[in-house]
Amino acid sequence: MPDLTPRRYLTPLIHVLVWGLFGLTFLLFQPLTGRLTMPPQFWLKQGLMFGAWVAIFYLTARATVPRLLFQGRTGWFVLALVGTTLGVLLFSKFLEMALDLPALMDKAFMAAAGRPRLGRSGLRIDTMGLLTTMFVLGISTSITVVQKWQHDAQIRQSLEQQRVSSELSVLKAQINPHFFFNTLNNIYALTLLDGEQARVAIHRLSRMMRYVLYDTAGGLTLLSQEVAFVQDYITLMQLRLDERVSVTFEKPDPIRDVPVAPMLLLPFLENAFKHGVAATQSSRIFIALRQPSAQVLELEVRNSLRPMPATDLAGSNGIGLANTRRRLDLLYPGRFTLLVEPNTPAHEFRVHLTLQVG
């Protein structure tokens, strides 16, 4: 069923209703009470003044404020408001004189009250016209300024979203090739030792590539899918390790599915396998994924320290730790805690991430 009140009709409808209410109040206002019957010229002036106030409202909103106030020409803007106010008051005085309204009002007052009209009445009408004019100009300026502020805020928000989206795309593009290049190098080394295991590794890598290229295209993925990806990665990396390397992976059971950013945990695992495995001595890697609650995710990664210094999550190309922190800042601002301990009392490199995913 079509919408009977489209969004584009809402603003004009509000303007009509507000002006209708203002006009009804103004046109029915009588400065005198009792048995006084206002002459037709009075109502003609009221209608013309109402039209003048409508005109200066939109003149101020469409021209004076955008071309003067928004351009930083504040002095000219104030002069324009003063000039507009004087113009409306002069127009009001012109109508009174052209319609011979003071004499007609005196006659109407004499007929109703039996005495001449007090001289203060004219001053009161002028004061009312001045206050009404200032009120209309103030409302027009305020509404235009607020609308400009809201429009600018929407533009800034849109630009920020585009910037974040572009930056995340760049960061993800940097991380993915880094991972696949390392994995392909591992598979190449494996083909020299065990062809069957190499074929299994290629199949597992193709499944991981499908996840990265297609399943994460929407920007978010389910935690269960991300855990499956992590398991594939760990299994793939274990193919080239011997019995001297102990790898432990703990995960929630059962997993409470929540949407998470894809491949956000991978750099931490890459770091552990890159810098925690020694060729000539025993080493260990511990990976634990926990869910204290449905909306909180914790990752702890520990690996043995090697003799050579290496504390960068990405290794020599330097794209891991900085980009991972940047992705966390963009995707989960104020909702994560990342603790990196280069050397724990147990002589391990430890990373602990707490993430508020909901």
Side-chain angles (χ1 to χ4, degrees), residues 172 176 206-221 225 262:
K172 188 177 177 182
N176 293 352
S206 67
R207 184 169 62 189
M208 296 172 69
M209 291 180 66
R210 185 180 304 110
Y211 169 78
V212 172
L213 296 176
Y214 300 109
D215 295 344
T216 65
L220 291 175
T221 186
Q225 294 177 299

Side-chain angles (χ1 to χ4, degrees), residues 44-214:
L44 177 60
K45 183 204 170 187
Q46 294 285 82
L48 292 174
M49 288 301 298
F50 175 76
W53 282 318
V54 173
I56 65 170
F57 178 91
Y58 291 106
L59 176 66
T60 302
R62 299 291 186 265
T64 307
V65 175
R67 297 183 181 181
L68 297 179
L69 183 61
F70 291 163
Q71 301 299 323
R73 303 162 67 182
T74 308
W76 287 104
F77 172 72
V78 173
L79 289 177
L81 292 186
V82 173
T84 302
T85 303
L86 292 177
V88 172
L89 295 180
L90 290 175
F91 179 66
S92 174
K93 201 65 176 177
F94 168 78
L95 291 178
E96 288 186 0
M97 302 304 296
L99 299 174
D100 196 21
L101 197 55
L104 294 175
M105 292 293 292
D106 287 338
K107 291 180 181 179
F109 193 94
M110 179 65 73
R115 56 184 176 84
R117 189 168 54 131
L118 296 177
R120 296 191 300 270
S121 299
L123 178 60
R124 187 171 66 87
I125 294 176
D126 291 338
T127 302
M128 182 62 67
L130 174 62
L131 294 177
T132 304
T133 302
M134 294 175 62
F135 174 77
V136 170
L137 293 176
I139 291 296
S140 177
T141 301
S142 301
I143 291 176
T144 307
V145 170
V146 170
Q147 289 177 339
K148 178 68 163 52
W149 178 81
Q150 291 176 338
H151 180 67
D152 291 346
Q154 291 175 351
I155 292 178
R156 287 194 299 269
Q157 183 179 8
S158 177
L159 292 176
E160 178 67 15
Q161 290 175 346
Q162 293 177 8
R163 184 189 66 81
V164 170
S165 178
S166 299
E167 192 165 355
L168 288 177
S169 297
V170 172
L171 294 178
K172 188 177 177 182
Q174 289 177 321
I175 291 175
N176 293 352
H178 172 58
F179 159 68
F180 286 120
F181 286 147
N182 285 350
T183 305
L184 286 173
N185 287 334
N186 295 337
I187 294 177
Y188 172 75
L190 189 61
T191 59
L192 303 177
L193 302 175
D194 191 329
E196 180 61 29
Q197 283 191 335
R199 286 191 290 271
V200 173
I202 292 174
H203 174 72
R204 192 176 298 276
L205 179 62
S206 67
R207 184 169 62 189
M208 296 172 69
M209 291 180 66
R210 185 180 304 110
Y211 169 78
V212 172
L213 296 176
Y214 300 109

Side-chain angles (χ1 to χ4, degrees), residues 13 39 42 59 68 72 114 117-118 137 147 159 206 215 223 253 255 259 262 285 294 301 306 317 324 337 344 347:
L13 179 61
F42 171 80
L59 176 66
L68 297 179
R117 189 168 54 131
L118 296 177
L137 293 176
Q147 289 177 339
L159 292 176
S206 67
D215 295 344
L223 179 60
D253 187 20
I255 297 175
I285 297 174
V301 181
R306 293 169 56 182
N317 58 11
T324 300
T337 302
T344 67
H347 301 291

Side-chain angles (χ1 to χ4, degrees), residues 178 182 233 237 240 269-277 285 306 312-316:
H178 172 58
N182 285 350
Y233 174 81
M237 297 302 294
R240 67 182 181 90
L269 276 64
E270 282 188 310
N271 176 74
F273 280 99
K274 185 176 181 63
H275 304 300
V277 177
I285 297 174
R306 293 169 56 182
D312 189 345
L313 285 179
S316 59

